[in-house]
Amino acid sequence: MPKYLVHFAQLHADFRLPELDSLAVLENVKLTYEKSAYSDEHPFLVVECESDDEARKLIRRSILTKQIIRLVATAPTYDEVLEVAKRSTDLIDECRGKSFKFELDAFGRTFDQETQIARIEPFCFLPCGDVNLKNPEITLAYIEDYGHSETAAARNPERAFFGVLVGRGDRGTVTKYDLKKRQYLGTTSMDAELSLVMANQALVRAGSFVLDPFVGTGSFLVTCAHYGCFTMGTDIDGRQIRGKGERSIRSNVEQYKLGGRVLDTVVADIAHHPWRATQLWDAIVCDVGFVTVPAATLRSLPTNFFLVRQPPYGVRAGAKKLGFNANAKPPPGVDGPLPALKKNGELRYPSTIPYEMHDVIVDLIDFAAVHLVPGGRLVYWLPTIVDEYSPDDLPLHPQFKLVSNSAQVFGKWCRRLVTMEKLHDAGSLETGECQNAALAEAASANPAHAKFREVYFGDGRT
């Protein structure tokens, strides 16, 4: 199969391969590569796929990929690359008479204009037609990789690549859904870039059904619906869903013209949900840890944006679920269960109790085991303490396989994007195999996400 160079964007290195692998599954692209040849220190990966059309399909909705190039030559030096290109009769025939553009790039170095000219001019042996910078028939790409070295040896590249550009990623969609442009968001709104990556890892596509059981201000509803699926969300805090005044999840849906895809939101918690015990959802996408928007992002937002700041919840105040608080005192004159309505006629909301992180994870996985279709994916964020984390901390389940586990580190703590895929139905499990996530959780006496809030606000916080 032809070889291609995947040129990743310079961010979220630990998420690159999981997104790429998920897109290969989503687009049904036969993809092979040597995982040992990839390093987070370099934004390049040489892969094999069947054709240029398949390569374009592979990255057309990728958020973490800049471009994909059909390789003509890769070698340690510029001169070696040039010699291989001169012997490529296929490339010469492909270029003959076509309008063209030449793109030059480097990792770990910046080229001045003189160097750029010196790199491009020797390729004049190619029988191309006129230069066309806006709409060329063929785009030639040359890249040098200098790595991260700051020594004198870095004056020479570690390797060089030359080929034909066949496709670009979907980086522009990040700008479209940028939080700075969104009418309604809160301190727990997930940034657009990672929300879109999650949609890709969840294999979201046109016609699929996606649930966010911790919907908050609806970031995942919007970004998943962008890809054509139908989305719904639930949250125990109805104030997050309703917003304030004209600012709400619904206003975001209208802003992006997604009214036909974002179906509705429901006030409920995952421990006491309204869904029938049936396989309905193709994907469940959520932020279990309710990690807040970085302070720098909040400071940069225009002042006319409505931010849900009170009451704080999630990491700041601890998750909640419906439950009876034995220490709560009943209103004066009330003996027995509380009436549904208050004396003033207002609806009385059920009482809540604390919901520890590890309990949330267990309930989420058990919920997904019942309500995801076979082949459906559960994609969720899990906050954890870096020094205490172990891969064994993640609860397993006989109906799921772990697809990926990527970390975004913030000093002493990090959040992990965990992707799991449902394998089969509970009815197909062999005798003795039908355990639930709670049993798997018990195998880890003290997982790193247990009591995360206490550690976050204690010595573990940075």
Side-chain angles (χ1 to χ4, degrees):
M1 291 193 295
K3 290 186 176 182
Y4 295 85
L5 178 69
V6 177
H7 186 182
F8 293 108
Q10 269 298 96
L11 71 169
H12 302 310
D14 202 32
F15 298 74
R16 293 168 177 166
L17 295 188
E19 188 201 35
L20 188 70
D21 290 337
S22 295
L23 290 173
V25 174
L26 180 67
E27 300 286 359
N28 195 27
V29 172
K30 185 178 180 181
L31 174 71
T32 60
Y33 61 88
E34 292 291 335
K35 191 170 183 179
S36 60
Y38 171 77
S39 170
D40 288 349
E41 299 296 314
H42 303 263
F44 304 109
L45 175 67
V46 176
V47 304
E48 293 183 1
C49 55
E50 293 178 337
S51 66
D52 288 0
D53 288 339
E54 294 293 280
R56 276 187 285 268
K57 286 170 57 180
L58 177 65
I59 71 155
R60 63 185 174 185
R61 55 180 270 186
S62 175
I63 301 303
L64 300 180
T65 303
K66 294 174 62 176
Q67 58 189 2
I68 190 166
I69 298 164
R70 181 181 3 105
L71 278 175
V72 173
T74 177
T77 67
Y78 171 82
D79 290 338
E80 291 176 270
V81 165
L82 190 61
E83 286 303 312
V84 174
K86 287 179 178 179
R87 296 194 301 267
S88 177
T89 55
D90 290 341
L91 175 65
I92 292 173
D93 291 341
E94 183 178 5
C95 291
R96 197 175 304 279
K98 291 182 178 178
S99 61
F100 77 101
K101 176 183 179 181
F102 201 107
E103 294 186 352
L104 189 69
D105 200 357
F107 174 66
R109 177 178 174 179
T110 301
F111 289 138
D112 55 33
Q113 186 173 8
E114 181 180 352
T115 303
Q116 292 181 41
I117 295 173
R119 292 289 194 275
I120 294 174
E121 282 188 341
F123 285 94
C124 64
F125 67 89
L126 294 171
C128 297
D130 296 331
V131 174
N132 187 332
L133 300 180
K134 292 186 177 180
N135 190 29
E137 294 177 275
I138 187 171
T139 299
L140 304 171
Y142 175 76
I143 301 174
E144 292 184 358
D145 180 9
Y146 288 81
H148 288 282
S149 176
E150 298 179 357
T151 66
R155 295 173 184 172
N156 297 319
E158 297 180 12
R159 53 185 173 169
F161 307 98
F162 175 70
V164 177
L165 178 70
V166 297
R168 300 188 191 275
D170 193 24
R171 297 284 303 158
T173 301
V174 177
T175 303
K176 177 179 179 180
Y177 293 101
D178 192 340
L179 293 184
K180 297 177 184 178
K181 300 179 180 180
R182 199 167 301 178
Q183 293 183 4
Y184 171 72
L185 70 157
T187 55
T188 58
S189 296
M190 181 62 64
D191 69 85
E193 197 158 48
L194 291 173
S195 294
L196 292 163
V197 169
M198 291 178 71
N200 282 337
Q201 291 191 204
L203 308 183
V204 167
R205 68 193 82 190
S208 58
F209 285 83
V210 178
L211 174 70
D212 180 356
F214 308 100
V215 70
T217 56
S219 291
F220 300 141
L221 301 187
V222 170
T223 50
C224 288
H226 168 78
Y227 293 114
C229 72
F230 300 103
T231 62
M232 290 191 69
T234 65
D235 202 295
I236 193 171
D237 189 346
R239 290 166 292 191
Q240 293 283 320
I241 293 174
R242 293 187 295 271
K244 183 178 181 181
E246 298 181 356
R247 311 274 181 157
S248 65
I249 291 178
R250 183 52 52 184
S251 65
N252 284 345
V253 172
E254 294 172 354
Q255 177 185 355
Y256 295 113
K257 297 180 174 58
L258 296 172
R261 299 177 190 170
V262 180
L263 302 180
D264 208 346
T265 51
V266 178
V267 179
D269 71 20
I270 197 166
H272 304 84
H273 59 80
W275 311 116
R276 295 178 181 175
T278 184
Q279 299 171 357
L280 173 62
W281 307 105
D282 297 289
I284 296 174
V285 181
C286 59
D287 180 7
V288 174
F290 314 108
V291 179
T292 58
V293 175
T297 300
L298 292 176
R299 288 193 297 269
S300 66
L301 295 174
T303 55
N304 61 338
F305 278 16
F306 170 66
L307 296 177
V308 180
R309 296 182 181 275
Q310 298 294 336
Y313 70 114
V315 168
R316 293 190 174 184
K320 303 287 185 181
K321 67 176 180 179
L322 299 180
F324 176 69
N325 186 348
N327 296 323
K329 295 182 179 180
V334 175
D335 185 18
L338 295 176
L341 298 178
K342 300 178 182 179
K343 289 184 178 181
N344 60 6
E346 293 181 356
L347 185 66
R348 187 186 301 279
Y349 290 97
S351 61
T352 60
I353 58 176
Y355 202 9
E356 294 296 344
M357 183 68 65
H358 58 281
D359 294 328
V360 178
I361 300 298
V362 169
D363 287 348
L364 174 64
I365 296 176
D366 282 340
F367 175 88
V370 174
H371 297 279
L372 274 179
V373 301
R377 287 192 171 186
L378 167 63
V379 183
Y380 67 92
W381 285 103
L382 176 65
T384 187
I385 305 303
V386 172
D387 292 341
E388 299 179 12
Y389 169 75
S390 167
D392 295 334
D393 289 340
L394 294 182
L396 304 178
H397 195 286
Q399 288 175 252
F400 285 90
K401 70 173 181 180
L402 180 65
V403 175
S404 64
N405 177 6
S406 306
Q408 185 182 23
V409 179
F410 301 95
K412 295 183 179 180
W413 74 279
C414 75
R415 57 182 180 185
R416 294 187 163 274
L417 183 58
V418 181
T419 300
M420 304 175 72
E421 184 173 306
K422 186 175 177 182
L423 299 175
H424 41 58
D425 302 330
S428 66
L429 297 178
E430 296 181 1
T431 303
E433 189 184 11
C434 191
Q435 66 185 53
N436 61 19
L439 297 178
E441 177 79 356
S444 178
N446 188 29
H449 54 272
K451 307 293 183 180
F452 173 81
R453 179 174 173 266
E454 287 81 349
V455 179
Y456 177 83
F457 284 109
D459 294 338
R461 186 180 181 182
T462 58

